Amino acid sequence: MTGCLPPSPAATPPIESLPIIDISPYLDPSSSPRSRQETASAINRACIDYGFFYLTGHDIPTSKLDEVISLARQFFFSPLSEKNKIKRYDAGGPEGGDGARGYQGMGENITLGRRDVQEAVDLYREWDHSPKEEGNGGKGTYKTLQGPNLWPAQPPELKEVYLDYIDQLMKVGEAVVRAMGTALDLGAPQPNANTTTEDGDVFVRNTDHSFWVMRMIGYPPLQAPYNPDSSDVTEFSCGEHTDYGCVTLLLADPTPGALQVLLKDNKTWLNADPIPGHFVVNIGDMIERWTNGIWKSNKHRVIHRGEGYRVSVPFFYEPNFEAMVKPLGKCVERSGEAPVHEGNTYGEHLLGKVFNNFYK
Ligand SMILES: N=C(N)NCCCC[C@H](N)C(=O)O
Ligand SMILES: O=C(O)CCC(=O)C(=O)O
Ligand SMILES: [Fe+2]
């Protein structure tokens, strides 16, 4: 008689967590087709369910990752006068800025019309044909995004360590977009394919001069009192947004409870706490557009109310600046929806974002 049995302890539902993807089959040339297919299938599932996942098997030593975070932290802890030596200035102005590269002080970044409680440094792929104009005291006048990178001089080893790190990340980014092409089952790569051919390497070709972005971000803890009964948050470390390009490889210090990912119900925020040695990876707007929304660039935000000063270093593996990004025919067909966009270049999409990113 079941009525006589003691009540069973209430089952606690497992706390939902992002899936972990092993990318090593796409970095190791001797891997089996089967192991690649497993990775690709796992990515497809993760991109449909979350647009986010943890990445392992990337081959970058944890000691290197720790060094990257530590150097960023040292930079943010240097005096403001030191940080302002590489200050970002608007493009075309007397200071010789390009409106995007350099150090952005606390509150200078805006998302959804509000100041983000963060400071940051943005580095981009060097502009291939720098149209530096003479005059302006030798500083030149740059169009938006077309200036040289402004590297921190302190700590002195930062630049070298970061350049090497970027080389490593480019390989990881390429492996991830290659796996994504397989995951979408776009067909075998065509030899000598031009950039508009839709096959499994379409993302690889369109990122072969990736206009990457490297951000170093520093977040002091938020000051506003937290009311757990209210969903009305008034202060954000980074307001909710989607990323702009292909694949974000996020490295963050161990601070928990800061990065939150919006789930498919469109109301629950899942903490994407860091796992040592793993990246938090998410897909950007260009992947959503190429796949005609089969995979969505998911909204996320940062609310750091914890202890201490949080540091994160996202790397954005993006399309080429000139890449034309338009829904792929196969994806349009499969989605059963009208094309989500008529197509424009990644550069145009990025410029539209950058113009609205800073407090004027
Ligand atoms: N490249 C990227 N994703 N940078 C970070 C974006 C942060 C949101 C941005 N302020 C916005 O409003 O879009
Ligand atoms: O700091 C983080 O955890 C995420 C930052 C982010 O989403 C971004 O810069 O695009
Ligand atoms: Fe983001």
Side-chain angles (χ1 to χ4, degrees), residues 110-111 116 215 238 241 243-244 316 357:
I110 53 172
T111 303
D116 294 324
R215 299 202 86 200
C238 183
H241 65 280
D243 289 345
Y244 312 151
F316 303 92
N357 258 345

Side-chain angles (χ1 to χ4, degrees), residues 31-328:
S31 65
S32 67
R34 191 198 157 107
S35 65
R36 289 184 172 223
Q37 192 53 54
E38 276 170 16
T39 293
S41 302
I43 288 180
N44 185 45
R45 201 61 261 157
C47 289
I48 289 172
D49 291 345
Y50 298 99
F52 267 82
F53 51 88
Y54 292 105
L55 193 79
T56 187
H58 50 69
D59 228 22
I60 305 179
T62 304
S63 57
K64 177 78 176 192
L65 304 179
D66 292 346
E67 193 181 12
V68 165
I69 291 290
S70 158
L71 289 168
R73 185 178 295 280
Q74 287 173 61
F75 173 77
F76 288 125
F77 278 65
S78 60
L80 187 59
S81 58
E82 182 63 33
K83 296 188 274 193
N84 277 332
K85 285 182 186 163
I86 57 162
K87 192 171 158 49
R88 182 203 71 93
Y89 286 107
D90 287 341
E95 302 91 353
D98 81 346
R101 299 171 201 248
Y103 171 71
Q104 302 135 37
M106 211 58 85
E108 213 178 300
N109 271 266
I110 53 172
T111 303
L112 297 176
R114 283 194 242 210
R115 289 173 182 270
D116 294 324
V117 182
Q118 59 169 251
E119 53 182 334
V121 175
D122 278 357
L123 299 157
Y124 289 79
R125 181 193 180 89
E126 290 291 353
W127 191 257
D128 293 340
H129 318 283
S130 187
K132 185 173 180 197
E133 287 170 17
E134 294 308 316
N136 194 17
K139 276 186 160 175
T141 304
Y142 299 103
K143 291 191 179 153
T144 303
L145 287 168
Q146 298 187 10
N149 276 327
L150 303 174
W151 285 96
Q154 295 297 333
E157 67 274 35
L158 186 148
K159 181 175 178 179
E160 200 187 318
V161 171
Y162 270 63
L163 284 174
D164 179 57
Y165 180 52
I166 290 166
D167 281 349
Q168 293 174 296
L169 289 166
M170 292 288 273
K171 296 194 184 100
V172 179
E174 198 211 79
V176 173
V177 297
R178 191 180 295 282
M180 287 179 164
T182 315
L184 287 162
D185 196 17
L186 295 172
Q190 304 296 308
N192 310 317
N194 67 34
T195 54
T196 56
T197 308
E198 297 179 9
D199 64 30
D201 276 354
V202 65
F203 304 143
V204 176
R205 284 192 302 279
N206 280 286
T207 56
D208 63 358
H209 291 77
S210 169
F211 196 69
W212 55 261
V213 190
M214 169 70 87
R215 299 202 86 200
M216 300 159 44
I217 316 176
Y219 301 98
L222 294 172
Q223 297 297 318
Y226 180 48
N227 176 2
D229 300 325
S230 162
S231 57
D232 180 26
V233 185
T234 55
E235 239 196 348
F236 294 90
S237 311
C238 183
E240 78 177 63
H241 65 280
T242 59
D243 289 345
Y244 312 151
C246 285
V247 169
T248 305
L249 299 163
L250 173 77
L251 174 67
D253 78 11
T255 311
L259 173 62
Q260 305 179 341
V261 175
L262 188 61
L263 296 183
K264 268 186 160 174
D265 65 5
N266 227 9
K267 59 173 200 244
T268 311
W269 293 92
L270 175 70
N271 283 334
D273 289 343
I275 303 179
H278 292 57
F279 291 104
V280 175
V281 176
N282 62 290
I283 50 179
D285 300 339
M286 298 299 94
I287 294 286
E288 172 167 333
R289 193 192 292 171
W290 262 317
T291 63
N292 209 43
I294 292 175
W295 293 352
K296 299 222 161 34
S297 59
N298 202 355
K299 282 185 185 144
H300 52 286
R301 66 184 188 185
V302 180
I303 301 178
H304 169 43
R305 295 179 188 282
E307 294 288 301
Y309 186 95
R310 177 176 185 260
V311 171
S312 76
V313 182
F315 177 77
F316 303 92
Y317 183 78
E318 310 297 56
N320 304 340
F321 196 85
E322 302 296 342
M324 172 53 74
V325 186
K326 206 179 140 156
L328 299 170

